[in-house]
Amino acid sequence: MNFKKISLLILLLLVADQALKIWVKTHMHLDESIMVIPDWFQLRFIENNGAAFGMHIASRGGFDWGKLLLGVFRIVMVGFIGWLMYHLSCKRRDTPKGVIAGLALIFAGAMGNILDSAFYGLIFSESTPYTVAHFGGHYAGFMMGKVVDMFYFPLFQWNGVPRLLRFLVDSNNYFFGAIFNLADTYISIAVVYLLLFQYKFFSK
């Protein structure tokens, strides 16, 4: 897989991620839901300040240092993965196409969430439970924007879940209550794929 094809793949993944996020941001108010498949799949608009699947790095004081550190980490990771893809595709001719595709998914996923954090606060008004955001606002500074999430799969309600497993359910005890986006999906699929099917290449 040559570098032009990799770049095109990443561009297509980013466009899909950003197009969906922008549509949700400009057509839904915060915490609004659209039922796609009854009792199983919803588009539910939330925003988060942190990592994949709504996790957050706590920080004290008025400035969100945890969010800044996360942003810096993502940028460093994107830079490293970009270099690794270039090195493997141009210098290592024995690299399986699946390895490059997996790294491209991780790159696109990390980049997609970086774009939210970096620019959404500068170009959108704030989303609220009562108002839909629009272009031309300014609700946060550079790298302080919120990440848009929308995929919600409340598979079943698990009442009486043990305390140690509370992270597996949401506030209403629905199993897999995480709400996530396309960028998170790219990263998750790629990591699982690389671990299961390409571990031999990385263990060389």
Side-chain angles (χ1 to χ4, degrees), residues 24-76:
V24 168
K25 179 79 174 169
T26 57
H27 287 79
M28 300 175 68
H29 59 72
L30 201 60
D31 209 33
E32 181 180 354
S33 296
I34 297 174
M35 190 67 67
V36 180
I37 301 175
D39 300 322
W40 186 65
F41 174 35
Q42 303 173 29
L43 286 181
R44 182 177 177 184
F45 173 33
I46 67 164
E47 293 179 309
N48 73 77
N49 289 313
F53 301 103
M55 293 182 290
H56 183 246
I57 302 172
S59 60
R60 296 183 178 182
F63 188 79
D64 196 341
W65 291 103
K67 184 172 180 58
L68 181 61
L69 288 173
L70 180 64
V72 171
F73 171 77
R74 280 181 174 148
I75 291 170
V76 171

Side-chain angles (χ1 to χ4, degrees), residues 156-185:
F156 58 87
Q157 202 163 23
W158 187 4
N159 295 312
V161 57
R163 181 170 296 182
L164 289 175
L165 299 179
R166 287 293 305 172
F167 68 94
L168 294 174
V169 299
D170 63 11
S171 58
N172 295 314
N173 290 333
Y174 278 100
F175 178 74
F176 195 63
I179 302 175
F180 56 100
N181 57 40
L182 267 180
D184 299 332
T185 305

Side-chain angles (χ1 to χ4, degrees), residues 143-164:
M143 292 303 297
M144 291 293 116
K146 297 176 182 178
V147 176
V148 174
D149 291 328
M150 76 293 293
F151 293 139
Y152 182 41
F153 293 88
L155 298 179
F156 58 87
Q157 202 163 23
W158 187 4
N159 295 312
V161 57
R163 181 170 296 182
L164 289 175

Side-chain angles (χ1 to χ4, degrees), residues 179-201:
I179 302 175
F180 56 100
N181 57 40
L182 267 180
D184 299 332
T185 305
Y186 298 159
I187 295 171
S188 300
I189 290 173
V191 169
V192 171
Y193 168 75
L194 291 173
L195 288 175
L196 291 180
F197 299 105
Q198 301 295 344
Y199 64 93
K200 290 184 179 179
F201 175 79

